[in-house]
Amino acid sequence: MIYFLLRHLRNTIKKSIHFVRGNIQNTISDAILNQETILIVCESNVPRIERMLFYLRKIRKEQFVVICSKAKFQESFFKRCQDVTVVLVDGEWQIPGILKQFKKIKLIHAFESRSIYAYYALKSKGKNIPFIFDFQDLYTNYTGDKKLPKWMRENLYFEAYCLRNSDAFVSYSLELIPARKTLGIGKKPTIYFPFYLDDAEIKKPSLKTNDERIDIVYAGGIAALNRNVSFNLSLTEKNLRNSNVFLHIYPSPSSGKDVIEEYKLYARQFPNLIMHNPVPNNAMGAELNQYHYGIVPFFKTVEYKSTNKYKYSSALKIWNYLEAGLPIIIAADVEYQAWLIKHYGVGVVVNENEFKDISKTLNAQNLDFIHQNIVELQKQKTLSSNISKIDSLYSQRMKVKN
């Protein structure tokens, strides 16, 4: 009986796997299974993955294979890596069976947002396969008196397991600092690797503000209007009413369609808010370049009191804006991110009270100076000149394990 159950499970796994490699296929070919492989494991293919793979595959001899949820895979986040094999699965429970089929896994690089896919890969991998955990937003650091959603509470166990048992970390933010203390994590090889600037997407700064109209832009995830959280942009819009500052929103392609439609209806009532349709990542730079400023509007709110989140977090929006040549408006509440903007002189740091009269603050800026700093930073922080950090970590971990 057990034999037939196992055979049924194996057949179910094979039928549920889909591949994107130019054409959709139904089985993994021996040519793929027998190559030296670096596995990329993720529940959703965040833009960071494609950006890294585009440069890594040029300098690594191994093939890259991506394992991702069929329901959450975003094709718009994977336009430039069509020759990379993508395994789309129905659920995390299929990951152990998939790993067993590959004959030469050299390394696993797992990404959150949620950690359940990473957890299943880590639990089922061979003991000599190095495992790297790559993260931005650690749920372990959500503290304070607020109530976490159920899906976040459930993720805490998987995330903590990955943090405690991975061989190395790739950190997009500084959130490992408080997480180490909370979970008692010892020192492990760790590299700081933010979003950086995609060489092909870099645009020179162009527009200057004037007293008549200032157009600022936000690109990223949006939350439902009835949620009083940091990225509910109605909190930002209310400060712009009856001013000469207009907020343009480009929701992430992964944002819920119902939330996008809700914002479009809301924007019809308030002329200072303009909603746009989602834009593919490789077209974002040219789209954003037409505005005066990019904004990171994460102000503290009553229901969002995680001190560590505000102090140590980071956002991909900063790098999207710098790619597009945009000066950045950022809240002083997000301390590390605000420090970056101030340190490099690439934007304006404001508190919530100053934001209520933002047009006055913006018109007082020396944009020539800010634009010069952006151009200089664009030369330093490219993906092509920093991807060697990931390459070196891969080689180092493979050498230790093998």
Side-chain angles (χ1 to χ4, degrees), residues 112-171:
E112 49 106 58
S113 51
R114 294 202 309 166
S115 303
I116 189 167
Y117 275 50
Y119 169 84
Y120 269 78
L122 180 53
K123 288 281 286 186
S124 56
K125 74 176 185 63
K127 65 178 182 179
N128 292 324
I129 299 174
F131 189 93
I132 296 173
F133 189 46
D134 193 312
F135 58 86
Q136 174 193 357
D137 181 23
L138 291 179
Y139 301 134
T140 299
N141 291 333
Y142 282 93
T143 58
D145 59 1
K146 62 190 176 305
K147 296 180 180 179
L148 291 178
K150 182 180 178 181
W151 67 269
M152 290 179 65
R153 293 198 306 272
E154 291 173 344
N155 185 71
L156 289 174
Y157 172 81
F158 304 117
E159 181 181 87
Y161 185 91
C162 291
L163 288 171
R164 289 184 172 121
N165 294 284
S166 297
D167 298 301
F169 300 121
V170 176
S171 178

Side-chain angles (χ1 to χ4, degrees), residues 7 38 43 55 59 67 89 103 122 136 142 158 162 165 167 176 186 189 274 296 321 332 347 368:
R7 188 174 69 175
I38 294 175
E43 184 177 24
Y55 292 94
I59 57 177
I67 299 176
V89 298
K103 305 299 189 293
L122 180 53
Q136 174 193 357
Y142 282 93
F158 304 117
C162 291
N165 294 284
D167 298 301
L176 188 60
I274 300 107
V296 182
Y321 297 152
D368 286 334

Side-chain angles (χ1 to χ4, degrees), residues 218 220-234 255-256 259-260 262-263:
Y218 170 85
I222 55 177
L225 291 167
N226 63 356
R227 290 183 60 194
N228 186 26
V229 295
S230 287
F231 46 98
N232 177 335
L233 296 203
S234 66
S255 297
V259 176
I260 294 174
E262 182 184 21
Y263 266 86

